[in-house]
Amino acid sequence: MIALLLRDLRLSIRAGGGFGLGLAFFLIVVVLVPFGVGPDRAVLTPIAPGILWVAALLAALLSLDRIFALDFEDGSLPLLATAPIPLEGVALVKAVSHWITTGLPLTFAAPLLGFFLNMAPEAYLWLLASLALGTPALSMIGTFGAALTVGLRRGGLLLSLLVLPLYIPTLIFGAEAVRRGADATGAIAPLMLSGAITLGCLALLPFATAATLRINLR
Amino acid sequence: MSIWEYANPKRFMEWTAPVVPWAFGIAGVLTLGGLFWGFFLTPEADKFGSTVKIIYLHVPAALMAINAWFMMLVASLIWVIRRHHVSALAARAAAPVGMVMTVIALVTGAIWGMPTWGTYWVWDPRLTSFMILFLFYLGYIALWEAIDDPDTAADLTSVLCIVGSIFAILSRYAVRFWNQGLHQGTSVPVVTGGRTISDVYFWPLVACMVGFGVLFIALVLMRTRTEIRVRRIRALAARAARA
Amino acid sequence: MLQVTDLRCARGGVPVLERISFTLQPGDALILRGPNGVGKTTLLRTLAGLQPALSGTYDYAEGAGAYASHADGIKLALTVRENLTFWAQVHGRSVPDSAYDTFDLGDLRDRMAGTLSAGQKRRVGLARLAVIGRRVLFLDEPTVSLDGFSVRMFADWMRDHHLGQGGCAVIATHIDLGLDAPTLDLTPHIAAADADGGSDEAFL
């Protein structure tokens, strides 16, 4: 499983797109927002946490369809299915490598971009914490969605349609933690709930993802 | 004889054939009767005026929107565990009906919201939850449509339905956490046995709710029969192609 | 080593092959033949455990089987060595130098797989079989896009290294590999048009 993780990370670095594109997309969305809502700081400051969370979520969505599609096309997936690694482990590794290439850089880039949106200074730490706790859930859910649509020719759009509703609880708790952190009204509760969702996804979704892969490989 | 024998496609076609017209008849009488009773034979509420009468559409539709998803969840579980084809097809048949019910609930809610709250839409927890439910229906139906092989589609949509249900419940509580809301509490709390509306409005509402329930059953049976016929044509074509 | 008894398998929910029985001892190979669409791939995928059989049984040691098709799981952005090492590690093994020599990959070791020709990539795919150490191989058209020299190279490996050391293989192929192996023509095993057991059966 370590070998698979290392291979996926190496591939995402070599084939490009992994680290770079998601981050660039994140930056562009954040830059576009002031053009849309106006440069007024009184407008930007309160919406900054929400914008950053939504933008991070969309950036994570961007690379989801590559999680299994490439392995499906070149035949690696059936070979992995007959290898001595459980498919549940493959699902988990895929989610972890997706998180390392998107969720983790997004987490560290977000405070920097919060600066552009005049985010309240108190919110930075909460933003970092909520993204660190919430983005693994996004990768887990996204991996499940990618497994559902792996055999489909035009799976990309469908993948967004399936995955985005599942992202709602994570988004709510994550963004709520930052907002409450900004005006100091008890950010611990949403933060813990966001962590709970991540742990729940970590515990249960690999099984659903593996079951889905088995169905799709049939 | 086991109850599961009724789930054999052929047996299902046999016993549903006479049931469907009756179900539509009962649903029509109850729904139309309930609506007529509610719209024209009940006094106008002092606080809300005649606008309150939209509850005869709004509440039953909302009730069925949720119960349709619940029925799909049960049907999906039956398919995953016992692999009865009719179960998977019934889940597929119920989805568009449930989605239309969700839309009715959202639209009537918006129409009702304008005179009562002064706005068509607020991000109230109940409204938001229904919007989310609508998105789940959308994804579920889209996944069914996207997959060619019917058994693979049944398997994958079942997994989506089961996982989606967990996230739907999570979303519901997350949304409550996020915004406390304007929407009134439930009109007919089943658990406590009490009720928050008076008798004169209650009985036509019950008629409408039961009517919508039977209508849902009738529509799902009819659509399931169609799906079974589609599968039968497919199966016959596949055999003919090899002969 | 591999025992198949009265196997019936389906593609897309429709039975395609039935009454398939054979036994392979260590060192045995079986060549599958039959026209396109007869179900060779279906049979191999069923035996490899990727799809369920409609009925009948197949039996080999747990974790001994490996499946390979024309899509051989080679990543174009990795070097030949990285590709092979990955598959070896997944199976808890390492890559012996002899694996490169056997398939004439010595000079290509550090080339990106994306820069290889189709035939060279195919050889990497076959070398994968040599490094994963599986005893029971299910091969679907292993020699596609190989030249005559490479085909002989593969046949030599199969005879001397795999079968010669007690492995066995079921191979679907259209060309003569020069192996001393019995042939199973699948044409007589095509499932009857009214064969039961398809997933659509309940609807007929």
Side-chain angles (χ1 to χ4, degrees):
Chain A
M1 278 167 64
I2 302 287
L4 180 61
L5 180 63
L6 291 177
R7 180 192 74 149
D8 276 3
L9 291 179
R10 187 177 279 161
L11 277 173
S12 63
I13 294 167
R14 280 212 195 136
F19 290 95
L21 273 182
L23 277 180
F25 180 82
F26 190 31
L27 173 71
I28 289 171
V29 171
V30 170
V31 168
L32 285 180
V33 167
F35 296 129
V37 302
D40 189 354
R41 287 176 61 173
V43 176
L44 284 175
T45 304
I47 63 168
I51 299 297
L52 288 169
W53 249 96
V54 172
L57 185 145
L58 292 177
L61 190 72
L62 211 57
S63 50
L64 284 182
D65 59 338
R66 292 161 52 105
I67 292 182
F68 289 117
L70 296 178
D71 279 340
F72 186 74
E73 280 160 21
D74 67 15
S76 299
L77 213 50
L79 301 180
L80 281 171
T82 49
I85 320 177
L87 261 184
E88 286 79 5
V90 173
L92 187 64
V93 166
K94 288 284 177 182
V96 169
S97 83
H98 179 262
W99 182 72
I100 292 176
T101 50
T102 57
L104 193 62
L106 289 175
T107 303
F108 287 113
L112 218 64
L113 296 179
F115 189 68
F116 288 107
L117 295 175
N118 296 299
M119 199 169 65
E122 303 80 26
Y124 282 92
L125 207 61
W126 296 110
L127 180 68
L128 203 64
S130 75
L131 280 172
L133 275 177
T135 45
L138 299 185
S139 292
M140 294 300 309
I141 298 167
T143 308
F144 170 65
L148 274 179
T149 53
V150 68
L152 301 176
R153 280 175 300 282
R154 278 174 302 157
L157 203 59
L158 180 63
L159 174 60
S160 321
L161 185 61
L162 297 180
V163 161
L164 284 176
L166 303 179
Y167 275 177
I168 290 170
T170 316
L171 173 65
I172 287 179
F173 290 129
E176 187 75 15
V178 190
R179 272 194 288 156
R180 292 195 183 188
D183 46 13
T185 46
I188 293 292
L191 202 61
M192 283 171 82
L193 285 166
S194 156
I197 289 179
T198 295
L199 288 178
C201 288
L202 214 57
L204 297 176
L205 275 181
F207 296 98
T209 309
T212 308
L213 284 176
R214 279 192 196 100
I215 295 164
N216 263 326
L217 282 175
R218 232 173 23 214
Chain B
M1 196 182 91
S2 145
I3 186 173
W4 299 111
E5 284 180 34
Y6 291 101
N8 172 284
K10 267 177 248 156
R11 291 295 309 272
F12 183 85
M13 294 301 273
E14 279 165 23
W15 74 261
T16 50
V19 171
V20 170
W22 278 100
F24 272 113
I26 295 169
V29 169
L30 279 172
T31 311
L32 294 178
L35 286 178
F36 185 81
W37 185 2
F39 282 166
F40 300 110
L41 306 179
T42 54
E44 297 194 354
D46 2 317
K47 199 161 58 163
F48 297 109
S50 58
T51 57
V52 73
K53 291 184 174 175
I54 207 166
I55 61 166
Y56 299 113
L57 276 174
H58 180 71
V59 174
L63 183 77
M64 290 325 295
I66 295 171
N67 284 341
W69 185 274
F70 187 67
M71 178 239 139
M72 282 156 56
L73 173 64
V74 173
S76 298
L77 284 169
I78 293 175
W79 163 250
V80 169
I81 296 165
R82 294 194 59 113
R83 303 200 81 74
H84 289 295
H85 285 92
V86 171
S87 178
L89 295 180
R92 175 178 197 169
V97 183
M99 189 172 80
V100 169
M101 292 291 181
T102 314
V103 172
I104 294 175
L106 283 170
V107 170
T108 53
I111 295 170
W112 193 8
M114 196 58 203
T116 330
W117 299 331
T119 171
Y120 286 113
W121 181 263
V122 282
W123 289 97
D124 159 274
R126 283 202 168 199
L127 276 72
T128 314
S129 299
F130 265 78
M131 200 50 161
I132 296 171
L133 185 63
F134 177 69
L135 296 177
F136 274 100
Y137 274 120
L138 220 57
Y140 179 86
I141 295 170
L143 188 62
W144 260 112
E145 297 301 325
I147 304 168
D148 296 329
D149 182 73
D151 276 4
T152 308
D155 282 333
L156 293 180
T157 51
S158 297
V159 177
L160 177 68
C161 185
I162 294 163
V163 174
S165 300
I166 298 170
F167 278 90
I169 294 167
L170 265 180
S171 300
R172 179 168 157 61
Y173 287 100
V175 162
R176 266 202 208 166
F177 183 89
W178 165 77
N179 192 344
Q180 302 303 327
L182 292 170
H183 199 290
Q184 69 205 62
T186 174
S187 305
V188 189
V190 180
V191 182
T192 54
R195 61 176 98 120
T196 54
I197 60 170
S198 53
D199 279 357
V200 67
Y201 304 111
F202 179 69
W203 290 110
L205 184 59
V206 168
C208 281
M209 291 201 293
V210 176
F212 266 63
V214 180
L215 179 65
F216 172 75
I217 293 170
L219 284 169
V220 170
L221 287 181
M222 187 185 74
R223 291 180 51 85
T224 309
R225 287 170 60 83
T226 312
E227 297 288 348
I228 290 174
R229 289 197 177 103
V230 170
R231 279 299 293 273
R232 184 171 156 75
I233 290 169
R234 200 189 140 92
L236 289 172
R239 304 265 155 162
R242 296 186 323 125
Chain C
M1 189 164 201
L2 168 66
Q3 186 154 20
V4 179
T5 317
D6 199 20
L7 194 71
R8 217 145 47 97
C9 39
R11 179 178 53 219
V14 179
V16 286
L17 291 170
E18 60 186 2
R19 300 185 320 276
I20 299 203
S21 301
F22 58 85
T23 305
L24 294 185
Q25 300 302 330
D28 285 357
L30 181 72
I31 309 289
L32 297 180
R33 286 199 199 275
N36 287 335
V38 75
K40 294 188 291 288
T41 302
T42 305
L43 175 59
L44 288 169
R45 287 175 57 89
T46 306
L47 289 174
L50 288 169
Q51 60 182 76
L54 285 180
S55 68
T57 57
Y58 58 91
D59 186 45
Y60 53 85
E62 171 89 32
Y67 168 77
S69 68
H70 53 89
D72 35 28
I74 299 302
K75 290 288 175 196
L76 303 185
L78 298 180
T79 64
V80 171
R81 188 202 301 271
E82 283 166 343
N83 268 306
L84 289 181
T85 310
F86 164 68
W87 285 111
Q89 281 173 348
V90 165
H91 289 78
R93 301 168 67 89
S94 59
V95 185
D97 276 341
S98 62
Y100 296 107
D101 301 334
T102 314
F103 292 93
D104 194 20
L105 294 168
D107 301 335
L108 305 174
R109 224 177 270 214
D110 292 310
R111 283 263 296 277
M112 284 288 172
T115 66
L116 301 181
S117 75
Q120 288 169 329
K121 250 181 279 180
R122 197 73 208 101
R123 295 216 302 266
V124 180
L126 294 174
R128 188 188 75 84
L129 296 172
V131 302
I132 61 176
R134 289 292 173 102
R135 315 299 297 154
V136 185
L137 298 182
F138 304 105
L139 307 181
D140 192 359
E141 299 289 355
T143 54
V144 166
S145 68
L146 288 185
D147 57 15
F149 175 69
S150 304
V151 170
R152 274 194 303 282
M153 198 154 59
F154 168 68
D156 289 343
W157 171 78
M158 179 53 78
R159 188 184 322 108
D160 301 338
H161 288 89
H162 185 68
L163 302 177
Q165 292 174 9
C168 70
V170 183
I171 307 170
T173 182
H174 284 287
I175 63 161
D176 184 17
L177 287 173
L179 292 174
D180 177 25
T183 300
L184 176 65
D185 187 0
L186 291 178
T187 317
H189 295 281
I190 295 175
D194 57 350
D196 52 353
S199 65
D200 285 340
E201 191 181 54
F203 294 96
L204 293 168

